[in-house]
Amino acid sequence: MSYEIKLDIFEGPLDLLLYLIRKNEIDIYNIPIALITEQYLAYLDMMRSLNLDLAGEYLVLAATLIHIKSRLLLPPAEDEESGEEGQDPRAELVRQLLEYQTFKEAALSLEARPLLDRDVFSRGATAEDQAVAEEEDEGEIEIGVFELVQAFRRIIAGLDPSDDLVIDTDRMSLTERINEIMERLTESRQLTFTELLGARTDRKGIVYTFLAILELMKLRMIKAYQSGPFGPIRLFLAVEE
Amino acid sequence: MEEKMAIIEAIVFASESPLTAERIAEMIPDAQKRDISAILQRLVQEHDARGGGFRLAEVAGGFQFRTREDMAPWIRKLKATRPSMLSPAAIETLAVVAYRQPLVKSEIDRIRGVDASGALKGLLEKKLVRIVGRKDVPGKPIIYGTTRKFLEVFNLRDLSELPTLRELKDLQE
Amino acid sequence: MEEKMAIIEAIVFASESPLTAERIAEMIPDAQKRDISAILQRLVQEHDARGGGFRLAEVAGGFQFRTREDMAPWIRKLKATRPSMLSPAAIETLAVVAYRQPLVKSEIDRIRGVDASGALKGLLEKKLVRIVGRKDVPGKPIIYGTTRKFLEVFNLRDLSELPTLRELKDLQE
């Protein structure tokens, strides 16, 4: 059966739907929903019977198809209150299919380009090139933030899980504030809490600044003094340079 | 050949990645970027006119010597190893990123109708896609875009060399 | 240029090591070793006559394209101005500093399981890591953090733009 060959090469429910439309030589702007839904569900059954992993998205689209089918069975909506001229219930699905089809076309045109190391080749690296590369440390690589977070994950994978390793954007915002405070204290030796706040008078700015100061005190990196209740809080580097 | 032209040719030839006129200008003290661009164009023409086994190609905003496309069957014989190919899911995902960048992952998922996590991770590891930043909306999702290596591998001068989505759509009618 | 000559030129150009006429003959079925040797000699002459930045050189019993000897000073400049890259040890150290800052060296050593002195020194020189301050405990250990340049190099507006471990994990699915 040609079915089996096709099954594992669908890139998702939209792909399967496009395949059925093409197979039945259907006009994409006028999809016979009953027919397509029936064939679509038959494919899902077959995939299940073959124990193929069925991504949840396939079921979501099945539900959408059934919903559209039921809406088409109802008499044309007389939505005079909303002023809408009873839109074709298939419209959104058609739009989605057309968009996906365009990107499938884009993928094909990308694939058809002359690819480096498949269709075109650059000069082979010579022994000299390799010598130069080795001189500057073993196998250096160019990196972006993705490589950085991957490296971090690799390292901590081997650590004691009880380590406090929760890293989220809030924590990094706090770190950002800590660095700023240390930079400013290194420049001016002492600062008051108000001076540190500067223009940051929003709630988030105040909270982060306060938390950053607590963290720095805990780390014994700064010292804080207050001349009396409600007096200005003065901050100093714990260790003078 | 004029000396300055030979120097530029040597530098481009020796480089492992495409070189821009700007970078070459940094290496040749008394040269203007404009002159270098003009010389590079003359070199492109000269090599095309020679009709040899390789040509000077304009890729990723720079210049690199590359074999002629029709020489591929012969080079493949030389290189015993098969190049690692991208899966259809990876190419689809790459196409969406290339045309819609900068974009967040949920947008890719929506267009393709499936979760793009695996494909996206593979493209990040292959350095064809990169993290560009975060979007300023609740949850601050990561924004993705294509890399310079994407242009190099797909033999593109820049992104504008890709056919437009409209052109691709017309192709289907 | 004659087709067979272009093919041979392409093969030699793409090869990573010098190629002999015998090796090339294996790749071109209907070619005689003698013809190939003759073509290689003609290619050598043609490139010498062009006087470009590179030539076809006969080395170690084979043929290879190489830059002209007198171009060496320029090639050295090219290699010297390569975009700076990081070793795996440096990336690991930088990752630990970026995500766990502010922290002391002993903490980096503990997390990485090896002494980070060398990597840390390199990162300080590249100005990706800086001394943030000292801790007021015995020994007054130095505390490290990332720099503004780190943000620039990684194209980040601020540290909260760094991807989190959760986000990375979400891509593994």
Side-chain angles (χ1 to χ4, degrees):
Chain A
M1 247 167 45
S2 65
Y3 280 164
E4 280 149 44
I5 310 162
K6 285 249 79 167
L7 275 177
D8 55 341
I9 59 170
F10 292 123
E11 294 305 324
L14 292 175
D15 202 20
L16 170 54
L17 211 52
L18 275 183
Y19 165 74
L20 293 176
I21 288 168
R22 224 172 291 126
K23 199 179 105 184
N24 290 288
E25 294 177 15
I26 287 168
D27 174 10
I28 200 165
Y29 293 99
N30 190 17
I31 303 172
I33 291 292
L35 174 78
I36 286 296
T37 304
E38 188 190 316
Q39 293 192 2
Y40 182 87
L41 293 176
Y43 262 91
L44 294 204
D45 278 344
M46 189 168 14
M47 284 165 144
R48 257 192 232 104
S49 67
L50 292 171
N51 281 326
L52 284 176
D53 248 352
L54 208 55
E57 292 96 343
Y58 281 95
L59 303 177
V60 173
L61 186 59
T64 306
L65 284 171
I66 292 166
H67 180 66
I68 294 174
K69 191 174 136 191
S70 66
R71 279 184 61 196
L72 282 169
L73 290 174
L74 297 172
E78 289 163 21
D79 273 353
E80 274 162 38
E81 289 146 46
S82 64
E84 268 178 45
E85 187 130 331
Q87 216 202 8
D88 188 334
R90 298 171 296 185
E92 172 56 24
L93 181 64
V94 170
R95 196 202 56 72
Q96 220 180 330
L97 279 171
L98 286 173
E99 186 181 35
Y100 177 62
Q101 199 175 32
T102 305
F103 280 104
K104 270 192 87 73
E105 204 63 53
L108 284 178
S109 89
L110 266 188
E111 171 113 73
R113 295 197 56 82
L115 290 196
L116 185 63
D117 290 333
R118 185 187 74 181
D119 308 304
V120 293
F121 299 82
S122 58
R123 180 180 63 89
T126 64
E128 288 168 43
D129 296 335
Q130 264 135 30
V132 172
E134 272 160 32
E135 249 171 54
E136 327 191 331
D137 270 340
E138 354 66 67
E140 304 212 339
I141 39 176
E142 237 175 315
I143 55 163
V145 285
F146 176 68
E147 285 70 26
L148 212 57
V149 67
Q150 255 195 333
F152 188 58
R153 195 187 68 91
R154 258 199 321 272
I155 298 160
I156 65 154
L159 282 187
D160 182 354
S162 67
D163 249 302
D164 164 35
L165 289 167
V166 184
I167 307 283
D168 56 24
T169 50
D170 282 343
R171 166 159 176 167
M172 293 318 284
S173 296
L174 181 61
T175 307
E176 179 73 28
R177 197 75 190 105
I178 286 174
N179 279 357
E180 274 177 50
I181 291 174
M182 286 305 288
E183 219 166 292
R184 289 192 53 194
L185 273 178
T186 311
E187 276 166 23
S188 15
R189 299 184 144 252
Q190 67 144 310
L191 284 167
T192 63
F193 184 70
T194 329
E195 281 169 333
L196 259 185
L197 271 182
R200 262 174 250 259
T201 46
D202 58 316
R203 175 197 283 263
K204 202 176 161 194
I206 295 169
V207 171
Y208 274 118
T209 303
F210 189 65
L211 287 175
I213 290 170
L214 286 182
E215 182 73 17
L216 283 168
M217 286 169 65
K218 200 178 86 191
L219 287 167
R220 291 175 175 276
M221 288 169 72
I222 62 169
K223 286 177 180 148
Y225 298 101
Q226 194 172 25
S227 46
F230 309 109
I233 302 171
R234 291 188 184 284
L235 305 162
F236 301 86
L237 288 179
V239 182
E240 287 291 329
E241 293 298 309
Chain B
M1 191 186 290
E2 180 197 327
E3 186 65 3
K4 196 179 272 175
M5 195 158 163
I7 292 172
I8 292 171
E9 190 181 74
I11 293 174
V12 173
F13 177 85
S15 172
E16 281 164 62
S17 49
L19 282 186
T20 59
E22 284 89 348
R23 269 211 65 206
I24 298 173
E26 285 166 22
M27 290 172 237
I28 309 179
D30 56 340
Q32 300 295 312
K33 198 205 127 195
R34 242 204 357 229
D35 296 343
I36 292 175
S37 293
I39 290 177
L40 284 165
Q41 290 302 343
R42 272 169 56 205
L43 279 169
V44 169
Q45 284 160 21
E46 194 180 290
H47 282 281
D48 279 345
R50 263 188 79 235
F54 55 86
R55 39 190 300 273
L56 185 54
E58 227 179 315
V59 282
F63 293 80
Q64 186 176 42
F65 283 104
R66 292 188 168 189
T67 55
R68 249 165 55 190
E69 226 179 298
D70 55 334
M71 295 292 155
W74 305 100
I75 316 294
R76 283 189 210 126
K77 282 193 179 180
L78 169 76
K79 316 242 176 193
T81 53
R82 290 196 53 115
S84 67
M85 284 290 125
L86 291 170
S87 70
I91 297 207
E92 266 185 41
T93 306
L94 188 56
V96 175
V97 176
Y99 280 94
R100 282 284 162 84
Q101 63 187 319
L103 86 175
V104 297
K105 185 181 151 293
S106 61
E107 176 76 359
I108 308 173
D109 295 347
R110 192 189 58 74
I111 292 174
R112 292 193 55 236
V114 286
D115 180 61
S117 300
L120 200 53
K121 180 158 176 274
L123 292 169
L124 283 162
E125 278 168 353
K126 290 198 167 76
K127 292 181 199 287
L128 294 171
V129 164
R130 68 192 179 96
I131 292 173
V132 178
R134 286 181 187 278
K135 196 169 173 174
D136 217 358
V137 295
K140 306 251 177 206
I142 289 177
I143 321 177
Y144 299 92
T146 54
T147 60
R148 169 186 286 274
K149 194 182 165 201
F150 163 73
L151 296 175
E152 283 180 33
V153 170
F154 285 84
N155 220 40
L156 291 159
R157 211 173 313 157
D158 53 47
L159 287 170
S160 71
E161 218 192 315
L162 287 172
T164 64
L165 285 179
R166 173 149 301 283
E167 283 164 347
L168 291 166
K169 216 166 167 182
D170 290 345
L171 220 66
Q172 299 166 24
E173 314 284 75
Chain C
M1 191 187 288
E2 181 197 331
E3 186 66 4
K4 196 179 272 174
M5 196 158 161
I7 292 172
I8 293 171
E9 188 180 79
I11 292 175
V12 174
F13 171 84
S15 169
E16 279 171 36
S17 49
L19 285 184
T20 60
E22 285 88 346
R23 248 330 290 289
I24 298 173
E26 288 166 21
M27 286 174 248
I28 309 180
D30 57 339
Q32 299 295 313
K33 197 203 131 195
R34 236 193 16 219
D35 295 344
I36 292 175
S37 292
I39 290 178
L40 283 166
Q41 289 305 339
R42 271 170 56 205
L43 277 170
V44 169
Q45 283 160 23
E46 194 182 289
H47 281 283
D48 280 347
R50 260 189 85 233
F54 56 87
R55 39 190 297 272
L56 183 55
E58 220 176 325
V59 285
F63 292 81
Q64 186 172 48
F65 282 104
R66 295 202 161 177
T67 51
R68 256 165 49 190
E69 278 84 352
D70 57 332
M71 294 293 163
W74 303 102
I75 309 302
R76 275 199 291 274
K77 276 197 176 179
L78 167 76
K79 306 288 179 190
T81 60
R82 280 212 314 186
S84 75
M85 291 185 275
L86 297 171
S87 69
I91 292 172
E92 272 189 32
T93 307
L94 187 56
V96 172
V97 174
Y99 282 97
R100 297 301 301 274
Q101 63 186 321
L103 82 178
V104 297
K105 187 181 153 293
S106 61
E107 178 74 359
I108 305 174
D109 293 347
R110 187 186 66 77
I111 293 174
R112 286 194 56 230
V114 287
D115 180 63
S117 304
L120 204 51
K121 188 162 164 271
L123 292 170
L124 284 163
E125 276 166 10
K126 287 197 166 80
K127 298 201 192 312
L128 293 172
V129 165
R130 69 191 174 99
I131 293 173
V132 176
R134 281 174 183 276
K135 223 173 169 157
D136 192 18
V137 295
K140 309 244 187 279
I142 294 172
I143 296 193
Y144 297 93
T146 53
T147 59
R148 243 175 254 282
K149 193 185 161 198
F150 165 80
L151 296 177
E152 278 166 31
V153 167
F154 286 87
N155 208 22
L156 297 162
R157 229 173 319 167
D158 60 51
L159 290 170
S160 71
E161 281 208 344
L162 278 171
T164 64
L165 291 173
R166 166 152 302 281
E167 285 167 325
L168 182 67
K169 211 172 138 221
D170 287 344
L171 285 180
Q172 322 272 27
E173 254 87 274

